Amino acid sequence: MPALGPPPAYARCVLRITDARTGRPVDAAPVRRRLTRVEAHVRGHDTGALRVLLVADLLVRTLELGGTPVWPLLTGDRDQAELRADGAALGIHPFEDARDVGSGLGESQVVHVLEADGSAPGDGVLVAVAPVDVAADDLGRPEALRPGGLSANRTDPAVLRLALLSLPRAMPARLDKAALTEAGDTLRRWRRTVAGWARQPSRPVPDEVRTRLRAAWEDDLDVPEVLRVLADVEASTELPEGARFETYVYADRLLALELSRDLGSPA
């Protein structure tokens, strides 16, 4: 399958994350089976805060896929109820309120996730997240992007999740009509295609595809590369449809886009 290329080689599953303090990659979980604390720091409730929560969610999911226990915490002074509601609609793990917990449970690592211009805590690894610009186009600002809008609006929140996942976290994101339309079109196509593949006999995820996926999300949470791997799998004429189905289901453990949601729907 030429489009997929040779699999990268690595010895074991280790998430390497860039520490914004030093600009150098470090192990997100130095001791694999020891607890890692992931703390998301937000200032109120806006789309930038949701992006911080999303990156923290990706970090939690990646560590858990590698077998590391995680303690997710949320630090914020206001608007937490709406933020949590929109986070849940966006498929984000529940985060405990940092104000309600003690100093720690002997974790081997602390990872702080916050906006790039936020105030850095004094300890642990720092993961910086670039801001989000919500554009006002000719339709005005989409209601789903207003505070509390995801939990109250009929718009599929996974569209916003995919739009944010499509860019590296260090790159400022611009959400406008074009970006949301592209994400929505891709999501609908993938769900429809996955439902079609599910009608064929299941096949295991090919080793080279699994390796590419894991190498991507363990390399500084390179989710745009994960999406490129899925695009290659979609375009491949050599992989059995059952293997493509299992590949998308496997990747969705990280992406949380409900890619198998349309299973059983009419063709």
Side-chain angles (χ1 to χ4, degrees), residues 32-214:
R32 184 181 175 191
R33 298 296 179 181
R34 289 279 301 278
L35 181 69
T36 292
R37 172 157 54 100
V38 174
E39 189 162 347
H41 301 265
V42 298
R43 299 170 295 187
H45 178 204
D46 56 17
T47 313
L50 276 174
R51 192 183 194 191
V52 169
L53 265 185
L54 176 58
V55 171
D57 178 66
L58 293 170
L59 182 58
V60 170
R61 289 174 181 274
T62 303
L63 289 168
E64 289 180 340
L65 283 170
T68 297
V70 186
W71 186 20
L73 297 174
L74 173 62
T75 298
D77 296 329
R78 55 190 176 85
D79 301 327
Q80 282 208 18
E82 285 186 340
L83 179 64
R84 289 178 183 278
D86 277 353
L90 207 60
I92 290 171
H93 277 72
F95 279 66
E96 292 186 58
D97 191 331
R99 295 171 296 185
D100 296 338
V101 299
S103 58
L105 296 175
E107 62 268 17
S108 65
Q109 182 72 286
V110 180
V111 183
H112 300 281
V113 185
L114 72 166
E115 293 183 63
D117 61 348
S119 177
D123 64 331
V125 176
L126 187 65
V127 176
V129 181
V132 180
D133 173 27
V134 179
D137 54 27
D138 56 339
L139 296 180
R141 182 180 180 184
E143 288 297 321
L145 300 183
R146 299 182 187 277
L150 284 173
S151 53
N153 193 276
R154 294 182 180 179
T155 302
D156 187 349
V159 173
L160 175 59
R161 185 175 177 107
L162 179 56
L164 291 173
L165 291 177
S166 299
L167 292 172
R169 68 173 183 277
M171 179 182 296
R174 179 175 175 81
L175 293 179
D176 55 17
K177 180 182 177 183
L180 295 174
T181 297
E182 180 179 0
D185 290 346
T186 298
L187 188 61
R188 284 187 293 273
R189 186 182 74 250
W190 279 358
R191 285 173 172 171
R192 182 174 62 250
T193 304
V194 166
W197 291 338
R199 299 185 179 95
Q200 302 302 317
S202 178
R203 296 288 186 271
V205 179
D207 288 342
E208 67 271 22
V209 177
R210 184 186 298 270
T211 299
R212 279 191 67 192
L213 287 171
R214 296 202 68 125

